Amino acid sequence: MSLRKRIGILVIVDSFIVLTAIYISNFFLNPNVHLLMYDILLVSSVALLTFHHIFSWHYKLYKKAWEYASVRELIAIFKAVSLSILMTGAVQLIVFQDIALRTLTITFMLHILLIGGSRFSWRVFRDRYLASASNQKRTLVVGAGAAGTMVVRQLINNKEAHLQPVAFVDDDLRKQHLEIHGVPVLGGIHDIAEIVKEREIENIVIAIPSLSKKELNEIFQECTKTSAKTKILPMIEDLMEGNVSVNSFRDVQVEDLLGREPVQLDNKGIAENLSGKVVLVTGAGGSIGSEICRQVSKFKPAKLILLGHGENSIYTIEMELLGTISSSIEIVTEIADVQDRDKMFDVMDKYKPDVVYHAAAHKHVPLMERNPEAAVKNNVIGTKNVAEAASSFGVGSFVMVSTDKAVNPTSVMGASKRLAEMIVQNMDAASKTRFVAVRFGNVLGSRGSVIPLFKKQIEKGGPVTVTHPDMVRYFMTIPEASRLVIQAGVLAKGGEIFVLDMGDPVKIVDLASNLIKLSGHLVEDIGIKFTGIRPGEKMFEELLGKNEVHDEQVYPKIYVGKTSELYMEEIENVIREFGEMEPSVLRETLLELGNRRVEKVRVSSPSEKRVVTG
């Protein structure tokens, strides 16, 4: 219906209501007087009708969407009707030197009742009949605060949402057993399983945007006791900025369940470090490298160089950045291998970057166990090539991405990254460039991580394969890992190894179980199969060795390890001779060098782990 037609209908309806109100009130008080002969009644009718339309237009009663009416609209009706009655009384006083007070009082009450009723009846009709589709799923809303109330209101008003709110849960005892928009608050968080069963709930919506990771995990664990599908409201920042609507729910992700809040960046310091600068990222097409490029681009460098060996992955991140970043940032691509020493020097000479983020590496533990020479070429020699090239051409800071597997390494991959750390620390002592390394644990969703593997196994109907029921890992998201790398470049004084306080470690079997539940399945239906620890794997990981621990944070949730002994002569020997070694001999050599004079620490409890990791 067009706005003009809609306004026309409302004007006609209101005119009928106004006349009905004043004539009925007059009939109640003067039943024996002929209405058409009553002068004060005729004058009052014209005045009230005129003033009603004037004040209705002023308070925009004809332009409001009454299907979404609330207290605000009721207040507007009250103001328009009250002023109309007052002005009509003033006209009576001027024309007749008297005011029909009782008649106006009854007219006021009827006026309010009929105008408000006509408007709100449309909302009731829409809520009761138009918005009640048979395919709506019965929904429990967790959180009866402002966000939860907004969710229920929009679900009631949006018949296309396919969700029917039937109950709230909230731990606030003052709200329990009350109703909000006609939806009862039936209990607290620990009552979720019982309420879902009693009310035949099909969907659960967590509508508390301010939840911490730990609190969200606790609520989700209660939700997993049911067969209902669990969704979550977007972040409050997205709601406030208008990026999403209140009913733009998303599935709960594994990342949401990490028991740690994300690290916050020093945006001002990073902007000073990157804005207007030339930034080079090696391994730019990988999971971490590409996210570093996305994060760096937000700080408007003058030039961003994407260096990688795989042309498809470099093309993908290049196209993504060109479609999202400012045209003032120049994007340059270099298809090159960090093992190509001459090429690395040519690239550094050509672009003379101010900052280098070195993310190129082989990281798959079992594959490197079978191919130790590849680990040496890419992780050790590749790092040495890029680092020496950066030093030769005056790069300001060089940040290498490392891993928790470099601590007391039991794998070729971990040992090769420990040797790479030694190279970087040694370069810092001999160069004007600030060289640092950043260690973090497993990255959720990165290539080769367990999450993509688990998802594929779940899609095929299972089982999900886990190496050992007691295996634990530290986890972080790709954006978190990338932010840590960027923040380290700002904090760098030279020679440090930065690590993130990653909270408590997570059991892999718990991760698999949560992912199965998040996918809408039962663990019993998909199944979890234990396959045994693979060569080179640990039962647990450490972020700092015992001799590296500093007690104080250098930035919220970021620690720095003490410089340990460097064995550069032995590393040079490995680089010269690895091609002549048998794979088994090379593996033992790498492990021996990576663990030399490092006291092994067996951690058996979370509290002890916290000591080890600072």
Side-chain angles (χ1 to χ4, degrees):
M1 184 185 300
S2 67
L3 178 61
R4 180 176 298 180
K5 185 176 181 180
R6 185 175 184 274
I7 291 175
I9 292 174
L10 287 175
V11 168
I12 293 171
V13 171
D14 281 10
S15 298
F16 177 77
I17 288 173
V18 169
L19 295 175
T20 299
I22 194 167
Y23 277 95
I24 289 178
S25 63
N26 186 81
F27 177 77
F28 283 152
L29 296 174
N30 305 285
N32 298 320
V33 178
H34 196 287
L35 298 180
L36 297 177
M37 299 293 290
Y38 199 22
D39 291 342
I40 192 170
L41 176 61
L42 294 176
V43 172
S44 299
S45 299
V46 173
L48 183 59
L49 190 61
T50 301
F51 287 123
H52 171 83
H53 291 313
I54 290 173
F55 288 114
S56 292
W57 190 265
H58 176 73
Y59 289 108
K60 300 179 180 179
L61 297 187
Y62 297 140
K63 292 186 177 182
K64 293 186 181 295
W66 292 102
E67 59 267 36
Y68 303 111
S70 64
V71 174
R72 181 176 297 178
E73 283 70 31
L74 185 60
I75 292 173
I77 290 174
F78 179 81
K79 289 179 179 179
V81 172
S82 298
L83 290 173
S84 300
I85 294 293
L86 289 174
M87 294 305 294
T88 301
V91 169
Q92 289 179 351
L93 184 63
I94 294 171
V95 176
F96 301 103
Q97 287 79 48
D98 191 18
I99 298 177
L101 186 59
R102 291 193 300 168
T103 302
L104 289 179
T105 301
I106 296 175
T107 301
F108 170 78
M109 291 188 290
L110 289 173
H111 199 165
I112 286 282
L113 178 63
L114 294 174
I115 292 293
S118 66
R119 300 307 198 265
F120 282 86
S121 62
W122 169 242
R123 174 177 173 176
V124 172
F125 175 77
R126 187 183 188 279
D127 293 349
R128 181 67 60 87
Y129 300 104
L130 299 184
S132 58
S134 60
N135 61 344
Q136 285 189 318
K137 296 181 178 180
R138 296 174 63 81
T139 301
L140 173 68
V141 178
V142 180
T149 302
M150 292 169 66
V151 166
V152 167
R153 186 176 176 186
Q154 284 206 13
L155 290 180
I156 291 173
N157 292 328
N158 184 3
K159 63 180 179 180
E160 297 179 357
H162 304 302
L163 298 176
Q164 178 191 1
V166 298
F168 282 105
V169 292
D170 197 296
D171 282 339
D172 188 346
L173 296 177
R174 295 171 298 178
K175 295 178 181 177
Q176 292 180 12
H177 309 299
L178 299 179
E179 287 192 358
I180 301 174
H181 293 309
V183 178
V185 184
L186 297 181
I189 303 302
H190 295 292
D191 300 315
I192 287 177
E194 181 181 350
I195 293 170
V196 167
K197 183 178 180 180
E198 290 180 354
R199 296 299 175 110
E200 298 179 345
I201 300 296
E202 299 173 87
N203 274 65
I204 299 173
V205 173
I206 301 174
I208 314 177
S210 59
L211 278 176
S212 67
K213 298 276 188 178
K214 183 177 180 180
E215 291 169 332
L216 175 59
N217 198 4
E218 291 174 355
I219 292 175
F220 177 74
Q221 295 307 323
E222 292 295 324
C223 295
T224 58
K225 298 176 183 177
T226 75
S227 59
K229 182 73 173 176
T230 303
K231 294 183 178 292
I232 189 171
L233 194 67
M235 293 298 293
I236 193 67
E237 292 82 0
D238 292 331
L239 294 173
M240 294 177 65
E241 294 173 5
N243 298 329
V244 294
S245 66
V246 169
N247 57 352
S248 297
F249 311 119
R250 63 174 176 82
D251 291 336
V252 179
Q253 305 293 333
V254 174
E255 292 89 333
D256 296 319
L257 305 180
L258 294 179
R260 181 192 68 257
E261 297 303 307
V263 63
Q264 299 299 315
L265 292 178
D266 173 17
N267 290 324
K268 182 178 179 181
I270 294 173
E272 293 174 355
N273 194 50
L274 298 179
S275 181
K277 303 294 181 64
V278 178
V279 179
L280 168 66
V281 181
T282 70
S287 304
I288 300 299
S290 60
E291 183 62 25
I292 290 174
C293 293
R294 295 184 192 100
Q295 298 283 346
V296 166
S297 66
K298 297 176 182 177
F299 297 95
K300 297 183 178 180
K303 185 180 294 184
L304 181 56
I305 304 157
L306 316 178
L307 188 149
H309 188 234
E311 61 175 3
N312 290 331
S313 58
I314 293 296
Y315 172 79
T316 299
I317 185 62
E318 179 192 20
M319 290 298 101
E320 178 186 333
L321 292 176
L322 289 175
T324 58
I325 66 173
S326 169
S327 58
S328 63
I329 303 175
E330 182 182 355
I331 301 295
V332 179
T333 56
E334 287 284 349
I335 304 302
D337 193 329
V338 294
Q339 298 175 40
D340 187 340
R341 182 179 178 82
D342 292 338
K343 180 65 175 179
M344 293 303 101
F345 274 76
D346 289 343
V347 168
M348 295 293 177
D349 185 23
K350 182 178 180 180
Y351 300 108
K352 294 182 172 58
D354 299 290
V355 180
V356 172
Y357 297 107
H358 179 49
H362 287 326
K363 61 181 182 179
H364 198 279
V365 172
L367 286 180
M368 293 304 100
E369 288 299 299
R370 297 191 291 269
N371 301 276
E373 72 286 350
V376 173
K377 289 179 182 178
N378 210 49
N379 296 356
V380 181
I381 297 176
T383 298
K384 187 171 185 289
N385 291 340
V386 180
E388 290 179 349
S391 177
S392 297
F393 293 98
V395 170
S397 60
F398 179 104
V399 184
M400 185 195 97
V401 176
S402 189
T403 172
D404 54 3
K405 295 174 177 60
V407 182
N408 302 328
T410 59
S411 66
V412 167
M413 193 282 280
S416 66
K417 294 297 283 186
R418 177 69 191 114
L419 269 56
E421 289 180 355
M422 292 183 191
I423 290 172
V424 166
Q425 290 182 304
N426 180 69
M427 287 296 303
D428 182 75
S431 173
K432 294 182 179 180
T433 300
R434 296 188 304 276
F435 286 89
V436 298
V438 182
R439 284 182 193 159
F440 41 75
N442 292 45
V443 180
L444 290 171
S446 63
R447 295 172 194 170
S449 71
V450 295
I451 298 299
L453 173 62
F454 287 171
K455 287 182 177 179
K456 288 181 179 179
Q457 291 174 334
I458 292 170
E459 287 174 4
K460 293 179 180 179
V464 172
T465 56
V466 176
T467 53
H468 193 281
D470 296 325
M471 182 170 284
V472 294
R473 290 290 183 268
Y474 293 101
F475 282 99
M476 65 192 312
T477 65
I478 293 175
E480 280 184 286
S482 303
R483 292 182 192 125
L484 175 61
V485 173
I486 294 170
Q487 187 66 62
V490 177
L491 299 173
K493 295 179 180 178
E496 301 99 334
I497 296 178
F498 292 99
V499 298
L500 176 67
D501 178 4
M502 301 189 68
D504 295 326
V506 178
K507 275 192 173 185
I508 303 297
V509 67
D510 291 342
L511 189 68
S513 177
N514 282 335
L515 194 58
I516 292 171
K517 294 172 184 175
L518 289 171
S519 302
H521 302 283
L522 297 176
V523 176
E524 294 78 11
D525 295 337
I526 297 297
I528 296 177
K529 179 181 178 182
F530 297 105
T531 58
I533 298 177
R534 297 175 297 183
E537 284 189 324
K538 296 180 181 180
M539 285 289 291
F540 59 93
E541 298 288 3
E542 304 151 88
L543 293 169
L544 285 173
K546 187 176 181 180
N547 61 327
E548 297 177 307
V549 173
H550 267 301
D551 293 330
E552 297 181 1
Q553 298 179 357
V554 295
Y555 188 80
K557 299 187 180 181
I558 297 179
Y559 295 87
V560 60
K562 299 175 183 177
T563 302
S564 54
E565 293 185 63
L566 309 178
Y567 307 104
M568 295 310 301
E569 183 177 347
E570 290 87 342
I571 293 174
E572 292 289 350
N573 290 337
V574 170
I575 292 174
R576 284 194 301 267
E577 301 173 3
F578 80 94
E580 301 173 3
M581 297 182 186
E582 292 292 328
S584 59
V585 175
L586 177 57
R587 180 182 185 278
E588 292 303 318
T589 302
L590 292 172
L591 290 175
E592 189 276 330
L593 188 53
N595 284 284
R596 183 174 296 183
R597 295 186 187 177
V598 177
E599 180 182 350
K600 299 213 173 191
V601 182
R602 174 68 187 182
V603 183
S604 58
S605 71
S607 60
E608 290 177 354
K609 277 186 174 61
R610 299 294 294 212
V611 173
V612 171
T613 60

